[in-house]
Amino acid sequence: MTAATHSTLFPQVPDSADAVLDGLDPEQREVATALHGPVCVLAGAGTGKTRAITHRIAYGVRAGVLHPSSVLAVTFTNRAAGEMRGRLRQLGAAGVQARTFHSAALRQLQYFWPKAIGGSMPRLVDRKIQLVADAAAACRIRLDRGELRDVTAEIEWSKVTQTVPADYAPAAAKAGRESPRDPAEIAQLYAAYEEVKRERSVIDFEDVLLLTVAVLQDRHDIAEQIRAQYQHFVVDEYQDVSPLQQRLLDLWLGERDSLCVVGDASQTIYSFTGATPDHLLDFRTRHPGATVVKLVRDYRSTPQVVHLANGLLAQARGRAADHRLELVSQRAPGPDPVYAEYTDEPAEAEGAARRIRELIDSGVPASEIAILFRTNAQSETYEQALADAAVPYQLRGAERFFDRPEVRKAGIALRGAARFGGNDSLLDDVVDLPSQVRAVLSGEGWTTQPPAGSGAVRERWESLAALVNLAQDFAAAKPGATLADLVAELDERANAQHAPTVQGVTLASLHSAKGLEWDVVFLVGVAEGMMPITYAKTDEQIEEERRLLYVGVTRAREHLHVSWALSRSPGGRPSRRPSRFLDGLRPGSTATTGRATAGGAGGIERGIPGTRGSAPKRAQRVPARCRVCGRTLTDPGEMKLMRCDDCPSDMNEGLYERLREWRADQARSSGQPAFCVFTDRTLMAIAESAPDDERELARIPGVGMRKLTRYGADVLAICTGQSLAESTDQD
């Protein structure tokens, strides 16, 4: 469950730019008001990074500094992009593009393909396995299912690191990768895979990025067109960018520095895909003038959970560990983490299911509980244990909510009822919105009680139940809302991929749990050989496994259960031991050799003035603030006066009348309307500030260089009490 769905589902849109800043802590507010890049936000787990950057975008839009269509926010998953769009909509900043790297690149590639390359764009394949299998057959190399998957992963890594087939072997050796087969064979398969794609006129997801990069490098006119469209960039989860994604980002930016990046090196868990935290850690080196804001106030987890998370990283080694952030919990104390040891894996699963059954019976919603494991292969044991305990569950990484067939059918039924409900006998005896939704969805298979057992029938019911619950929340938040209003809300959520909560315990791998959070988390299988995983050999790989466990720990808001089994199956030899990462942290254990680093405190580091790079410095817009009360001004008329309309004016009335008389003379002599000389607002601003010289006069909105040249001497003469004749004589 995400933080977005855990908070108020239907918040009121802030009524002003300043209202967007309400509720932000000092560091988050610094992020939100630092509207000109480069800005680097180092954000620990649970510190509100998404809140900070969405409020930054919304504040810039609402203050008139950023135009919605000029902002491109990129992240790594459709869920994260959808959540960002949903939050921006709730903050009154609809229209901002929030996409994944691939989605943004694909959109640009589709648009510019006819101009840059000509003809129709090749078909995009979403799965490589069959193409890799065909390439292996062409090379007369036999691959089993596991090897197919591993070779596919190597091809993906090669492409995101911009490694061509001929260079695979030395590149893999340099990166310390253990190739699933002989590196020469991998290179041969990689080359054959590319040939198969060419023959069939198809491209894969990595090609989308590679081709977009190639177009932007070769066609400067297209690059400039995109740069004219997008002038402000925000990159979430910046520790996960690959070299190819960084190259694309550099091309989007050009010579500009209007960039805000957000990340946490301690949550780098995708290096096997080519991701590297080096871009985040080197950001200040590449941008010496950057503002760096550190977020360490943890609003998600209790002090007990945060203490364990900090303890895990205190023993870490390597460059990411040197830049770790010491989290400070902002929540009330909670229960200590619970550690449990079992004889075998089925017993561990049964123990977790039994405890979850107790929690649900005590009132904890099933949707607020998760079981997290290292590999997807561990899922089946827990699915069976939960089914035996009559506990509903959902598998993370399944089909997106609004793409499910039952949800699509339910949407059609609700839309039809909204249009023609007066002729529907199902709605004859219902008056309120939740009752209408229950009546309509009863025809789609929803019942007041869930079906017994698990499987597809239960999953369909859970989807419909999520829509029923959403209708109840919507009606409570917006009394008087109609069925048509709910359908419009569902359409907006579908576009933003902002799914309602499905009632069921979440089963997920640690990798797929990134970015999510629950009240109760069960970390299972935390034993040597699984955490760290057996094939993690190098120091870098071991440290990534530690960071993966850190991500798992920081998913828990309040209750954390950590368990391991001494053997895999009943009756097996009890040869396993708890993970080394728990040494010194779980009761009765002692710390292994390590070093406790000081950790990073929160705060703001200003950039070095004048070191933004070689790009010419452009004038930057900043939020206009009332010089009387300090409120952010968005109305153009108020911005000219630099004060709110209802704030007291210190205008010199006599000066204002003399300026009006002068303006009337100018208008008559030039044969144009008076406002073409200066508007009333500009005259009021001049009369309020009474400038002494051209520099002060030029600062007043509405006085451009042309008008300063034409009218400046007259206006200054009037402001300083001279007659226009005296001014002319002095000139």
Side-chain angles (χ1 to χ4, degrees):
M1 185 176 184
T2 66
T5 54
H6 187 65
S7 60
T8 304
L9 282 171
F10 304 99
Q12 295 296 314
V13 174
D15 59 6
S16 66
D18 286 341
V20 172
L21 303 178
D22 290 346
L24 300 181
D25 67 30
E27 292 80 26
Q28 291 172 342
R29 181 177 285 256
E30 182 69 25
V31 174
T33 55
L35 296 179
H36 298 292
V39 177
C40 178
V41 183
L42 302 177
T47 57
K49 69 176 179 65
T50 306
R51 176 180 173 83
I53 59 174
T54 52
H55 280 67
R56 177 185 188 269
I57 296 170
Y59 177 68
V61 169
R62 300 290 296 276
V65 176
L66 306 179
H67 192 279
S69 63
S70 73
V71 180
L72 178 59
V74 287
T75 186
F76 286 82
T77 66
N78 288 316
R79 180 201 59 78
E83 179 182 339
M84 192 177 293
R85 287 193 295 271
R87 291 201 190 192
L88 289 169
R89 179 167 61 92
Q90 293 167 352
L91 291 169
V96 171
Q97 292 291 317
R99 297 179 175 274
T100 64
F101 271 101
H102 284 89
S103 172
L106 179 60
R107 194 162 180 255
Q108 294 171 12
L109 193 62
Q110 289 171 330
Y111 183 81
F112 288 109
W113 187 277
K115 179 179 180 180
I117 298 169
S120 58
M121 182 174 155
R123 180 173 61 88
L124 177 64
V125 294
D126 55 1
R127 289 175 56 83
K128 300 183 181 69
I129 290 289
Q130 187 56 54
L131 293 175
V132 174
D134 293 344
C139 296
R140 299 185 180 182
I141 297 175
R142 296 177 61 87
L143 299 176
D144 61 29
R145 182 176 298 181
E147 288 176 318
L148 272 173
R149 186 179 61 249
D150 292 342
V151 170
T152 299
E154 288 305 294
I155 291 174
E156 290 175 348
W157 173 82
S158 299
K159 299 185 78 164
V160 300
T161 55
Q162 302 174 81
T163 302
V164 297
D167 295 337
Y168 169 77
K174 183 178 179 181
R177 295 182 72 84
E178 292 189 12
S179 298
R181 296 180 70 96
D182 181 86
E185 277 191 335
I186 299 290
Q188 182 184 3
L189 289 166
Y190 179 11
Y193 168 79
E194 292 297 315
E195 182 60 32
V196 168
K197 285 197 293 122
R198 280 192 292 271
E199 291 174 353
R200 300 180 186 179
S201 296
V202 297
I203 60 174
D204 59 30
F205 277 104
E206 288 71 39
D207 290 330
V208 170
L209 299 185
L210 286 163
L211 289 167
T212 306
V213 165
V215 167
L216 296 183
Q217 286 180 159
D218 295 344
R219 292 292 299 268
H220 297 294
D221 56 330
I222 293 176
E224 288 306 316
Q225 191 172 339
I226 292 176
R227 290 167 192 160
Q229 168 70 52
Y230 297 117
Q231 298 166 22
H232 309 277
F233 296 84
V234 177
V235 185
D236 193 14
E237 304 289 3
Y238 192 57
Q239 76 279 352
D240 290 331
V241 297
S242 68
L244 178 56
Q245 289 164 334
Q246 181 63 47
R247 179 64 186 136
L248 177 59
L249 178 62
D250 289 340
L251 288 165
W252 281 340
L253 275 167
E255 296 299 319
R256 301 166 300 174
D257 61 5
S258 188
L259 171 67
C260 174
V261 302
V262 190
D264 178 11
S266 296
Q267 296 188 68
T268 304
I269 58 174
Y270 295 107
S271 66
F272 61 91
T273 67
T276 170
D278 289 345
H279 303 298
L280 175 67
L281 298 177
D282 293 337
F283 191 84
R284 195 66 178 274
T285 302
R286 297 198 317 274
H287 303 279
T291 296
V292 178
V293 183
K294 297 180 181 179
L295 305 182
V296 297
R297 303 174 199 248
D298 189 317
Y299 298 95
R300 176 188 300 158
S301 305
T302 63
Q304 287 75 11
V305 173
V306 167
H307 177 72
L308 176 57
N310 286 335
L312 281 171
L313 294 186
Q315 300 179 26
R317 299 171 178 270
R319 192 177 180 210
D322 291 339
H323 292 79
R324 74 183 182 90
L325 299 169
E326 183 98 28
L327 299 178
V328 181
S329 175
Q330 306 297 299
R331 293 193 56 180
D336 288 328
V338 175
Y339 300 89
E341 183 174 275
Y342 295 90
T343 56
D344 52 63
E345 289 183 5
E348 184 181 6
E350 291 167 9
R354 185 168 54 250
R355 178 60 185 139
I356 289 171
R357 181 74 267 173
E358 294 170 356
L359 288 166
I360 293 174
D361 291 343
S362 70
V364 178
S367 59
E368 286 296 345
I369 304 173
I371 298 176
L372 307 182
F373 33 75
R374 177 61 181 84
T375 67
N376 287 316
Q378 295 168 269
S379 172
E380 185 177 356
T381 303
Y382 289 89
E383 291 180 56
Q384 185 61 54
L386 291 174
D388 292 344
V391 173
Y393 66 86
Q394 58 173 330
L395 287 172
R396 181 73 194 157
E399 192 173 22
R400 293 193 297 186
F401 182 83
F402 287 104
D403 291 338
R404 298 175 187 176
E406 65 272 18
V407 174
R408 296 170 71 90
K409 286 184 64 180
I412 293 171
L414 290 170
R415 185 172 286 104
R419 290 179 180 175
F420 311 111
N423 300 321
D424 193 336
S425 60
L426 280 173
L427 303 181
D428 286 347
D429 300 322
V430 296
V431 290
D432 64 334
L433 177 60
S435 298
Q436 290 176 325
V437 172
R438 287 192 291 268
V440 173
L441 296 188
S442 65
E444 301 299 321
W446 179 82
T447 57
T448 55
Q449 296 297 321
S454 57
V457 174
R458 179 59 182 255
E459 289 178 2
R460 284 195 294 272
W461 184 90
E462 294 287 358
S463 297
L464 298 177
L467 293 174
V468 170
N469 293 334
L470 182 69
Q472 293 172 177
D473 292 331
F474 188 68
K478 299 188 175 183
T482 65
L483 196 54
D485 295 330
L486 177 65
V487 169
E489 173 67 22
L490 289 174
D491 287 341
E492 290 194 22
R493 281 173 166 257
N495 290 333
Q497 284 300 325
H498 185 188
T501 304
V502 175
Q503 293 299 320
V505 172
T506 300
L507 291 172
S509 70
L510 287 166
H511 282 101
S512 65
K514 180 78 165 59
L516 303 175
E517 57 188 73
W518 298 267
D519 283 345
V520 186
V521 168
F522 286 77
L523 289 175
V524 299
V526 189
E528 284 292 308
M530 194 61 73
M531 182 58 66
I533 199 77
T534 305
Y535 53 74
K537 304 292 187 184
T538 67
D539 289 344
E540 292 81 4
Q541 292 168 339
I542 295 295
E543 288 307 316
E544 181 148 336
E545 293 288 299
R546 188 195 306 275
R547 294 194 295 270
L548 190 56
L549 183 59
Y550 170 81
V551 167
V553 167
T554 54
R555 300 310 96 193
R557 296 194 191 101
E558 187 170 0
H559 298 275
L560 179 62
H561 298 254
V562 184
S563 63
W564 56 91
L566 298 177
S567 66
R568 180 175 182 179
S569 55
R573 188 165 61 90
S575 58
R576 294 179 175 174
R577 62 175 294 270
S579 169
R580 72 190 76 171
F581 299 146
L582 299 178
D583 291 347
L585 300 174
R586 62 183 175 86
S589 65
T590 56
T592 54
T593 303
R595 77 192 196 289
T597 54
I604 300 105
E605 299 174 10
R606 304 293 180 188
I608 303 170
T611 53
R612 287 183 176 268
S614 58
K617 189 168 182 177
R618 301 183 307 165
Q620 296 178 332
R621 294 180 62 194
V622 297
R625 295 185 179 275
C626 174
R627 53 191 167 83
V628 179
C629 70
R631 183 178 70 84
T632 301
L633 303 175
T634 55
D635 178 78
E638 291 183 339
M639 291 171 69
K640 278 194 175 183
L641 295 177
M642 293 305 291
R643 65 169 175 81
C644 307
D645 274 335
D646 52 2
C647 280
S649 170
D650 54 358
M651 183 175 69
N652 183 324
E653 295 287 350
L655 175 57
Y656 179 62
E657 288 304 319
R658 291 196 298 276
L659 288 168
R660 281 174 58 85
E661 292 173 4
W662 166 82
R663 182 182 66 175
D665 291 340
Q666 292 293 327
R668 278 193 298 271
S669 63
S670 61
Q672 59 183 345
F675 68 82
C676 290
V677 180
F678 284 120
T679 64
D680 286 347
R681 289 273 186 174
T682 301
L683 288 189
M684 290 175 66
I686 294 171
E688 288 187 359
S689 60
D692 291 326
D693 54 38
E694 284 192 353
R695 188 174 181 181
E696 291 181 9
L697 179 59
R699 290 199 188 104
I700 297 173
V703 181
M705 183 54 66
R706 183 177 61 83
K707 291 187 178 182
L708 182 66
T709 303
R710 184 171 183 180
Y711 303 125
D714 284 0
V715 172
L716 289 173
I718 295 170
C719 290
T720 55
Q722 302 177 53
S723 69
L724 295 185
E726 290 175 356
S727 172
T728 304
D729 291 342
Q730 289 176 2
D731 291 342

